[in-house]
Amino acid sequence: MKVIDQTLLEKVIIERSRTSHKGDYGRLLLLGGTYPYGGAIIMAALAAVKSGAGLVTVGTDRENIPALHSHLPEAMAFSLQDQQLLKEQLKKAEVVLLGPGLRDDTFGEDLVKQVFASLKKNQILIVDGGALTILARTSLSFPSNQLILTPHQKEWEKLSGIAIEKQNEDTTASALTSFPQGIILVEKGPTTRIWQVGQSDFYQLQVGGPYQATGGMGDTLAGMIAGFVGQFRQSSLYERVAVATHLHSAIAQELSQENYVVLPTEISSHLPEIMKKISQKGT
């Protein structure tokens, strides 16, 4: 078991080059938030933008776009029903986050299949929320690319067949032997573990707690992971995912000293300040 320490944080979160531009910090496409789960994709988009993503585009229900823009004018948005725009955006994206607030219905399933089929080798895909449920019940094969899965305990049960009470490091390690090499798993729970298939060791969080048990927490984490993997390319994909996951809980832990419950949007609003401190320590 590996612990995420200050050295790793400073390795990943580095100061920006003076000559860089938004194209250097990730072109992200976030897909989800179908009725009645519109807030999920808004929280994911907030986290992605606040963690420093260069360009964030959101595909969601058309009715959800005014709400998204009122929270986050920095993100572009289009209707998921617009096939032409969806195809264009899928081609352009470097990182695709699929599933926060995606309803498990025929439309959702068709979207998951389309994204899986259209992915190119150099694109990074994060599968979260409703897309994990759809993935678990359909016989879709994993796209052969850089894939990150972010299940909570119930979603991991559906994906792996391991009952929640039997989930531990041994059963997960065993289940992952049948997954393709290189896939990254963020196994969320009271003790969150981050795995990469093919590596015997894993990262385990030493931060976080029950003050995070509130709706939208996972959507915010997924958005942070998307934001981190779109930038910080001087470190490995596995390290970027581990640091994003750690920071999500570390900020929550800090806020919990004065708050009974920590709201996901509060974590996002503290991100730029905390990331600035880490980047200055590493110089």
Side-chain angles (χ1 to χ4, degrees):
M1 182 187 90
K2 298 187 284 190
V3 172
I4 299 155
D5 58 12
Q6 190 65 29
T7 310
L8 184 60
L9 298 185
E10 289 167 16
K11 181 185 175 187
V12 173
I13 303 169
I14 57 168
E15 283 204 294
R16 294 187 159 191
S17 156
R18 288 188 67 79
T19 56
S20 60
H21 56 83
K22 64 187 177 189
D24 295 326
Y25 299 109
R27 191 180 282 275
L28 275 55
L29 176 61
L30 280 53
L31 303 172
T34 48
Y35 184 81
Y37 307 118
I41 205 73
I42 296 175
M43 285 185 276
L46 269 166
V49 169
K50 295 273 191 178
S51 60
L55 288 159
V56 175
T57 302
V58 177
T60 186
D61 277 351
R62 189 180 293 280
E63 310 83 83
N64 200 32
I65 294 173
L68 168 71
H69 278 158
S70 73
H71 283 279
L72 196 68
E74 294 87 351
M76 293 168 284
F78 67 96
S79 164
L80 273 177
Q81 278 77 14
D82 188 331
Q83 265 299 316
Q84 189 54 42
L85 268 173
L86 178 59
K87 281 179 183 152
E88 282 170 24
Q89 293 300 332
L90 277 168
K91 273 202 185 87
K92 282 184 194 170
E94 294 164 331
V95 180
V96 179
L97 167 56
L98 174 65
L102 182 67
R103 210 165 133 177
D104 180 10
D105 56 13
T106 311
F107 180 81
E109 187 175 323
D110 289 346
L111 178 68
V112 171
K113 286 177 176 166
Q114 182 177 355
V115 171
F116 272 47
S118 76
L119 270 177
K120 298 190 285 292
K121 286 254 191 303
N122 61 343
Q123 290 175 307
I124 298 166
L125 175 65
I126 304 154
V127 184
D128 181 64
L132 286 166
T133 302
I134 291 165
L135 176 61
R137 69 165 179 76
T138 53
S139 51
L140 281 175
S141 55
F142 295 122
S144 55
N145 71 321
Q146 303 166 92
L147 185 65
I148 299 156
L149 306 171
T150 57
H152 57 53
Q153 289 167 293
K154 193 71 195 163
E155 289 159 346
W156 180 235
E157 180 180 71
K158 289 174 189 168
L159 273 173
S160 66
I162 305 163
I164 292 175
E165 62 276 10
K166 296 214 167 108
Q167 289 173 13
N168 57 46
E169 54 196 73
D170 294 334
T171 55
T172 297
S174 170
L176 286 176
T177 56
S178 62
F179 282 55
Q181 289 285 318
I183 283 183
I184 294 169
L185 171 74
V186 179
E187 184 193 358
K188 300 183 295 198
T191 39
T192 293
R193 291 178 282 261
I194 306 114
W195 305 77
Q196 183 161 38
V197 180
Q199 290 195 23
S200 56
D201 219 346
F202 58 90
Y203 287 109
Q204 185 163 308
L205 292 196
Q206 309 296 307
V207 286
Y211 39 81
Q212 288 174 272
T214 185
M217 202 48 79
D219 306 308
T220 294
L221 173 58
M224 279 180 68
I225 290 171
F228 272 60
V229 302
Q231 48 187 330
F232 305 132
R233 293 168 202 174
Q234 80 290 350
S235 54
S236 73
L237 188 59
Y238 186 35
E239 288 169 333
R240 283 174 262 171
V241 173
V243 166
T245 308
H246 167 87
L247 205 55
H248 174 263
S249 286
I251 293 172
Q253 183 165 299
E254 200 171 302
L255 294 172
S256 77
Q257 289 168 21
E258 292 178 11
N259 295 274
Y260 181 72
V261 64
V262 176
L263 297 186
T265 47
E266 286 291 305
I267 294 175
S268 296
S269 64
H270 281 81
L271 260 172
E273 174 199 349
I274 306 273
M275 289 173 73
K276 175 76 174 173
K277 283 181 185 157
I278 294 167
S279 72
Q280 286 176 323
K281 278 183 189 160
T283 52

